[in-house]
Amino acid sequence: MPKVIYLHSNGERTELDVASGTSLMLAATGHGVPGVVGDCGGVMSCATCHVVVDEAFANRLPPLGDTESQMLDYTAMPREPHSRLACQIVMADALDGICVRIADPQL
């Protein structure tokens, strides 16, 4: 099963095995990963699952869509070049080992 690494602002890491087809937001909220809020449940209406994708994996993701891009303009932490919403990153074998830094703050 592919693995995701969530990096926390305090330097800690949370590693999870995530089934292909599961969003990184659902994986985080389902396992109680602190910092990933996901208030809207993954429908891109809250931006509380903001993460910054490690550069090595950024080009493996589908392009940023218009709605996701607009939501990233309203995040609590300023947007960065590889900012994404975890609800829009769907785990696949090609993403095994993906590392994402959890935005701080989310709210």
Side-chain angles (χ1 to χ4, degrees):
M1 191 174 302
K3 182 179 300 291
V4 61
I5 301 164
Y6 299 93
L7 298 176
H8 304 272
S9 61
N10 65 1
E12 292 183 24
R13 309 163 42 117
T14 301
E15 295 186 24
L16 296 177
D17 291 325
V18 178
S20 292
T22 303
S23 77
L24 298 191
M25 185 275 301
L26 283 177
T29 57
H31 287 89
V33 175
V36 179
V37 180
D39 275 343
C40 73
V43 297
M44 275 196 301
S45 66
C46 72
T48 60
C49 64
H50 179 194
V51 295
V52 180
V53 178
D54 183 88
E55 188 173 357
F57 286 90
N59 64 351
R60 298 184 198 184
L61 300 177
L64 188 66
D66 290 340
T67 304
E68 183 180 5
S69 182
Q70 289 171 358
M71 290 306 302
L72 287 166
D73 287 337
Y74 298 100
T75 56
M77 183 187 96
R79 182 180 188 159
E80 295 184 14
H82 298 296
S83 285
R84 295 297 297 259
L85 298 179
C87 66
Q88 299 304 298
I89 302 173
V90 178
M91 184 52 90
D93 289 339
L95 297 178
D96 185 29
I98 188 171
C99 185
V100 296
R101 180 171 40 92
I102 300 169
D104 184 26
Q106 287 284 7
L107 302 171

